[in-house]
Amino acid sequence: MQRLLFPPFRALKGRQCLQLLAPRAAPRAQCDCIRRPLRPGQYSTISEVALQSGRGTVSLPSKAAERVVGRWLLVCSGTVAGAVILGGVTRLTESGLSMVDWHLIKEMKPPTSQEEWEAEFQRYQQFPEFKILNHDMTLTEFKFIWYMEYSHRMWGRLVGLAYILPAAYFWRKGWLSRGMKGRVLALCGLVCFQGLLGWYMVKSGLEEKPDSHDIPRVSQYRLAAHLGSALVLYCASLWTSLSLLLPPHKLPETHLWLRRFAHGTAGLVFLTALSGAFVAGLDAGLVYNSFPKMGESWIPEDLFTFSPILRNVFENPTTVQFDHRILGITSVTAITVLYFLSRRIPLPRRTKMAAVTLLALGYTQGSVLFNFIFKISDLDEGIRNI
């Protein structure tokens, strides 16, 4: 029986078709480890998964896939930064309440004819901002603020597509690890939450307040939540992107305190930005236009006029501006200390460049703010002399 079966098998084993069926041992020179048998349905490489799926797709190696995903998230973080900047411009031009309704698809088409623009303008005239603040606005002026808000909303939709469509593609291709899938789902969910929160914020400025003749404005709480979630989305996207694109640097245990100090500084900057949202929501920056004193004193008298006292932190324009000043000065001080500490410790070149850039941006932000305060002060002095 052996003479009948084995000689033909040895003759056929050299053929190409049976060489594919014959098991091949891994060369010992490349790997000295013991290869464990795989369970049914378990594959050793991404390529084997793609071949067994029967879809004809070819997956990238893990490192190449990480670079692609990292670059994608880096672009996404840039689009979020653009949305924050555009939102700030929209706020400064007082354009945020020009579009009085919200439709995901319908509002993507702007008015084109004179009749459509007049109908849009008539809808705007039914809300408090026109009745109290812009009652003498012309159609041409309305078109400007409308297009400002429209560009901000369309950019927000672009940000959503930049996250969701590539995420679905990478997920289907198998380029996302199990941990990365959770992060990507959280980022996409936060993008959708941002859109809903933006309309929830705008809606607060469209509500009728019969007992109030104050300038219509959105809720400072909702504005802070809108900005805060955008900053979280930006930081999470950028952090995840850089963790995929750049090799990690491990600090010695004796220098871990520097990392903790850097994290604390980042949290302080985040709180300063949130307090800036409260300043913008209450127009608190116009209350006192002198620095470093607030008016004629270091601590204004109307700092705690609201009751209960905690309400002053969020609703008293004087207290909100005072808190923002203190947080801003503290943030710049912490950034300066972080820079000098980084100079005394042997750190990678990339980390030192980050510390220098942070210092430059911190002082640039401060100089721009001081210049703005002095311009407002000069304008106020000129008005008094008239």
Side-chain angles (χ1 to χ4, degrees):
M1 182 65 66
Q2 292 179 353
R3 293 179 180 178
L4 293 175
L5 294 179
F6 284 98
F9 179 76
R10 293 193 184 97
L12 292 174
K13 186 176 179 181
R15 298 183 183 179
Q16 184 177 2
C17 59
L18 289 182
Q19 285 179 354
L20 295 175
L21 299 176
R24 284 182 280 180
R28 295 180 179 270
Q30 297 180 0
C31 181
D32 295 333
C33 58
I34 300 175
R35 185 174 181 178
R36 298 180 180 179
L38 300 176
R39 298 188 301 271
Q42 183 180 5
Y43 308 105
S44 59
T45 62
I46 298 179
S47 301
E48 292 181 16
V49 175
L51 292 175
Q52 294 290 339
S53 63
R55 297 174 182 174
T57 59
V58 179
S59 299
L60 293 178
S62 58
K63 292 298 181 182
E66 286 182 356
R67 286 194 296 269
V68 173
V69 175
R71 291 168 184 167
W72 160 58
L73 290 176
L74 185 63
V75 173
C76 288
S77 64
T79 60
V80 175
V84 173
I85 295 173
L86 190 55
V89 175
T90 304
R91 176 70 188 177
L92 290 175
T93 56
E94 298 182 348
S95 307
L97 301 178
S98 57
M99 298 180 69
V100 297
D101 51 10
W102 188 87
H103 301 283
L104 182 61
I105 304 299
K106 182 180 178 181
E107 72 179 23
M108 295 180 66
K109 179 181 178 298
T112 54
S113 62
Q114 184 69 17
E115 293 77 11
E116 291 178 349
W117 275 113
E118 291 178 355
E120 189 71 25
F121 192 30
Q122 289 177 1
R123 284 195 292 270
Y124 174 70
Q125 294 174 359
Q126 300 174 6
F127 289 86
E129 185 177 68
F130 177 83
K131 296 177 182 180
I132 299 175
L133 184 63
N134 296 331
H135 51 84
D136 56 348
M137 176 177 283
T138 64
L139 180 60
T140 302
E141 294 172 338
F142 171 72
K143 287 182 179 180
F144 172 77
I145 64 173
W146 192 92
Y147 271 119
M148 287 299 303
E149 174 64 12
Y150 175 80
S151 61
H152 183 51
R153 294 192 184 189
M154 292 303 104
W155 188 270
R157 284 165 173 75
L158 178 64
V159 173
L161 293 177
Y163 274 92
I164 296 174
L165 293 183
Y169 177 80
F170 296 149
W171 193 298
R172 182 177 179 82
K173 287 291 186 180
W175 294 359
L176 302 176
S177 63
R178 179 178 298 180
M180 189 57 60
K181 286 181 179 179
R183 293 189 185 186
V184 169
L185 279 178
L187 292 176
C188 292
L190 189 56
V191 168
C192 298
F193 175 74
Q194 263 291 99
L196 297 176
L197 188 58
W199 170 243
Y200 182 64
M201 177 193 67
V202 171
K203 190 177 179 181
S204 65
L206 301 175
E207 297 173 352
E208 293 280 355
K209 300 176 181 178
D211 299 333
S212 176
H213 298 282
D214 195 7
I215 297 175
R217 56 172 64 94
V218 299
S219 168
Q220 69 272 23
Y221 298 99
R222 301 182 189 184
L223 178 60
H226 189 49
L227 176 63
S229 59
L231 293 178
V232 170
L233 178 63
Y234 168 76
C235 294
S237 301
L238 184 62
W239 185 280
T240 305
S241 170
L242 296 181
S243 65
L244 294 174
L245 295 176
L246 300 178
H249 288 314
K250 293 184 178 180
L251 290 176
E253 294 185 0
T254 55
H255 297 162
L256 289 180
W257 59 268
L258 181 63
R259 176 176 294 176
R260 299 190 188 99
F261 187 81
H263 291 170
T265 302
L268 189 59
V269 172
F270 180 76
L271 288 179
T272 306
L274 287 187
S275 70
F278 280 91
V279 172
L282 294 171
D283 287 334
L286 304 177
V287 178
Y288 291 95
N289 49 29
S290 59
F291 189 86
K293 291 184 177 182
M294 298 181 67
E296 299 297 330
S297 60
W298 291 95
I299 300 178
E301 298 178 354
D302 54 342
L303 197 62
F304 299 109
T305 56
F306 290 8
S307 180
I309 295 180
L310 185 60
R311 183 183 168 197
N312 291 274
V313 179
F314 305 105
E315 299 182 9
N316 187 345
T318 300
T319 310
V320 168
Q321 186 189 133
F322 181 81
D323 293 342
H324 187 59
R325 291 187 179 206
I326 297 300
L327 286 172
I329 294 172
T330 307
S331 296
V332 173
T333 303
I335 290 172
T336 306
V337 173
L338 180 63
Y339 168 75
F340 283 108
L341 290 177
S342 66
R343 301 285 293 180
R344 299 175 56 186
I345 300 175
L347 295 173
R349 181 175 179 272
R350 192 176 74 204
T351 307
K352 290 184 176 294
M353 287 296 298
V356 173
T357 304
L358 180 62
L359 182 71
L361 291 176
Y363 278 92
T364 300
Q365 173 79 359
S367 62
V368 170
L369 180 60
F370 292 154
N371 185 49
F372 178 75
I373 291 176
F374 294 149
K375 291 292 183 182
I376 294 294
S377 180
D378 294 340
L379 179 62
D380 184 63
E381 187 68 24
I383 294 175
R384 291 180 180 180
N385 295 331
I386 294 177

